[in-house]
Amino acid sequence: MANSGDQLDVIVIGAGIMGSATAYQAAKRGLKTILLEKFDFLHHLGSSHGESRTLRATYPEEYYSSMVLKSAQLWEEAEAEIGFKVYFKAPQFDLGPKDNKSLLSVIDNCRKNEISHRVLDARQVFDEFTGRIEVPENWVGLVSEIGGVIKPTKAVYMFQTLAFKHGCNLKDNREVVDVRRDSVRGGILVETVRGETFWCRKCVVTVGAWMQKLIKQVSGVVLPVQALETCVCYWKIKDDHATEFMIESGFPSFASYGVPYVYGTPSLEFPGLLKIAVHGGRNCDPGDRKWAVAPTALAALREWIDGRFGGLVDSTSPVSTQSCLYSMTPDEDYVIDFLGGEFGNDIVVAGGFSGHGFKMGPLVGKVLVDLVIDGETKDVELNHFKLGRFEGNPKGNLKEFEDQVNPLFY
């Protein structure tokens, strides 16, 4: 068994958006850091690849809105350091039945967080988007100026590059097979499938859909983080209307509440195409998936597209699809906490982000390094994300509105 001999301050396991942002923050703050990735860097097997993720501050849960505002600032700071853009601003448009509890909570949170917004009735929605979006008479729309699109693969590359610039050692194709205490020196030993062993004072685990499997393997603890397979779809905008749906034309990122919960982004990465998908997925082993959109999800999307875009988007079938993994907790909130048990505060776990976490990457990275250095953070109230919330209560945080991820379509 090869021992690296390095005395590391922190090892980050998992080089998706959360791990890469954490490695950047750790190295930037002077910690001797290594980032280990199971697959190739920038692979397409997890949750941090592709061409677009939405940034929005409109959440039913009040605690996420303030996090988005902080994270948006950190996105811009990282862009300034690297010298290119990964975050492209656009309005955010939320829509749904006027009595939908989630949407009503979103509107209320905009008021509480002093987020500039406008609530529109069906006629005002039609006028706002010059007929590009239509809603039924019993629906409302919510326009917020805090929104946009993040380029995920490019963003992960940005943080890895910045981490390397600040001295982080990056190693891919290093599947971790064991994490244990060093009984002689203290600290943590991390072993890879190649037989390499690395020693560190603290370890951060951010392995997305593989979180439950890895943590159970090394500690016996079963984290309530379930892997789901989902698929995003790109739909063709009909001829002569493509420019009307471009981000440069002011078309928004959007989220439609109700059944199904549908989300999408303006035309940016693929000219003439809109990304529109159902927020949901089927339970899976992250190494075993179908790589296809469920027929029920496609049927729901066709109906939704026909009802919302006035015939300007071809709903026959998507022209492109892409499989992606979610990692979800029962209450759809994140896990950010110390693993505890025999590891105490020496291992920090962060998971359950998929579906609405990518936008938070820069802030989560900062928070995880705060926990490594200080054992606490002042940037985020972490009570909502503690592992202890599931003790005696498998559903976690109590919500007074509907679940956003609906399994009916998968």
Side-chain angles (χ1 to χ4, degrees):
M1 184 183 300
N3 192 310
S4 72
D6 292 335
Q7 305 293 303
L8 298 164
D9 293 310
V10 60
I11 294 175
V12 181
I13 305 174
I17 183 59
M18 300 307 177
S20 298
T22 301
Y24 160 61
Q25 283 286 343
K28 184 179 181 181
R29 291 159 74 174
L31 300 182
K32 191 171 184 180
T33 306
I34 192 170
L35 176 63
L36 301 177
E37 168 56 45
K38 177 178 182 177
F39 303 109
D40 282 339
F41 287 135
L42 308 181
H43 65 82
H44 283 209
L45 300 174
S47 309
S48 294
H49 62 283
E51 296 302 318
S52 62
R53 296 290 189 278
T54 301
L55 188 145
R56 61 185 171 91
T58 48
Y59 270 93
E61 300 93 345
E62 183 179 358
Y63 40 91
Y64 284 121
S65 296
S66 58
M67 290 177 65
V68 173
L69 300 180
K70 292 179 180 179
S71 194
Q73 181 180 347
L74 293 173
W75 277 113
E76 294 184 356
E77 289 178 6
E79 286 179 325
E81 186 174 352
I82 196 70
F84 57 72
K85 289 183 65 62
V86 300
Y87 166 34
F88 298 84
K89 295 181 181 180
Q92 167 68 19
F93 182 59
D94 296 274
L95 59 155
K98 62 176 62 176
D99 61 351
N100 181 274
K101 292 180 181 178
S102 296
L103 184 54
L104 290 172
S105 185
V106 169
I107 295 170
D108 188 47
N109 286 338
C110 283
R111 298 189 185 106
K112 291 179 179 177
N113 286 282
E114 298 183 345
I115 296 170
S116 177
H117 66 283
R118 291 178 289 126
V119 179
L120 310 178
D121 61 25
R123 171 50 57 183
Q124 290 170 323
V125 168
F126 186 90
D127 293 341
E128 177 81 13
F129 298 106
T130 58
R132 293 170 292 175
I133 301 178
E134 301 176 351
V135 299
E137 286 299 319
N138 64 332
W139 281 36
V140 295
L142 172 70
V143 177
S144 167
E145 295 307 312
I146 301 173
V149 178
I150 300 167
K151 306 277 279 185
T153 300
K154 188 178 180 182
V156 173
Y157 167 78
M158 174 182 73
F159 282 119
Q160 290 176 1
T161 301
L162 290 174
F164 179 78
K165 171 187 171 184
H166 288 286
C168 178
N169 192 351
L170 285 72
K171 293 183 180 292
D172 60 0
N173 295 297
R174 269 16 184 243
E175 179 181 359
V176 170
V177 295
D178 194 20
V179 180
R180 61 186 184 274
R181 279 208 168 276
D182 187 327
S183 59
V184 177
R185 294 176 292 177
I188 301 295
L189 290 171
V190 175
E191 183 181 344
T192 75
V193 72
R194 297 188 181 193
E196 303 161 302
T197 302
F198 301 93
W199 183 93
C200 62
R201 293 189 304 106
K202 304 282 185 176
C203 180
V204 178
V205 183
T206 58
V207 293
W210 285 265
M211 178 66 78
Q212 185 182 96
K213 180 177 289 188
L214 179 60
I215 294 300
K216 182 180 180 182
Q217 176 181 324
V218 302
S219 72
V221 175
V222 179
L223 296 185
V225 179
Q226 173 63 50
L228 284 75
E229 181 185 9
T230 188
C231 279
V232 299
C233 303
Y234 288 90
W235 306 78
K236 182 173 174 52
I237 304 164
K238 292 186 177 179
D239 293 342
D240 301 326
H241 296 284
T243 59
E244 301 169 28
F245 290 85
M246 295 172 61
I247 193 169
E248 293 88 349
S249 301
F251 197 75
S253 51
F254 53 90
S256 179
Y257 288 81
V259 180
Y261 182 109
V262 174
Y263 68 95
T265 57
S267 182
L268 174 64
E269 57 264 42
F270 299 124
L273 303 183
L274 274 184
K275 175 182 170 181
I276 312 168
V278 170
H279 184 38
R282 69 171 186 92
N283 289 358
C284 72
D285 181 295
D288 179 21
R289 58 175 113 170
K290 294 183 177 180
W291 301 94
V293 187
T296 46
L298 281 179
L301 283 169
R302 291 189 190 102
E303 182 178 356
W304 188 90
I305 290 169
D306 285 338
R308 301 288 82 78
F309 292 127
L312 302 180
V313 177
D314 186 350
S315 65
T316 307
S317 64
V319 298
S320 178
T321 63
Q322 187 174 56
S323 176
C324 184
L325 291 177
Y326 279 2
S327 55
M328 305 292 298
T329 60
D331 55 16
E332 299 177 30
D333 285 325
Y334 311 151
V335 167
I336 303 175
D337 204 352
F338 300 106
L339 182 57
E342 64 174 305
F343 294 107
N345 288 2
D346 289 344
I347 293 183
V348 181
V349 292
F353 296 105
S354 297
H356 68 111
F358 197 98
K359 67 181 73 66
M360 305 291 195
L363 179 61
V364 170
K366 185 175 185 299
V367 166
L368 295 179
V369 177
D370 287 345
L371 295 180
V372 165
I373 295 174
D374 302 319
E376 61 180 1
T377 183
K378 297 180 180 179
D379 281 314
V380 176
E381 172 52 65
L382 294 180
N383 283 337
H384 307 289
F385 309 133
K386 295 286 189 180
L387 280 169
R389 72 184 191 266
F390 296 106
E391 294 176 4
N393 176 27
K395 292 185 178 180
N397 292 322
L398 178 66
K399 306 289 179 75
E400 296 182 355
F401 43 81
E402 307 87 347
D403 289 342
Q404 304 308 305
V405 175
N406 194 312
L408 290 175
F409 301 96
Y410 287 88

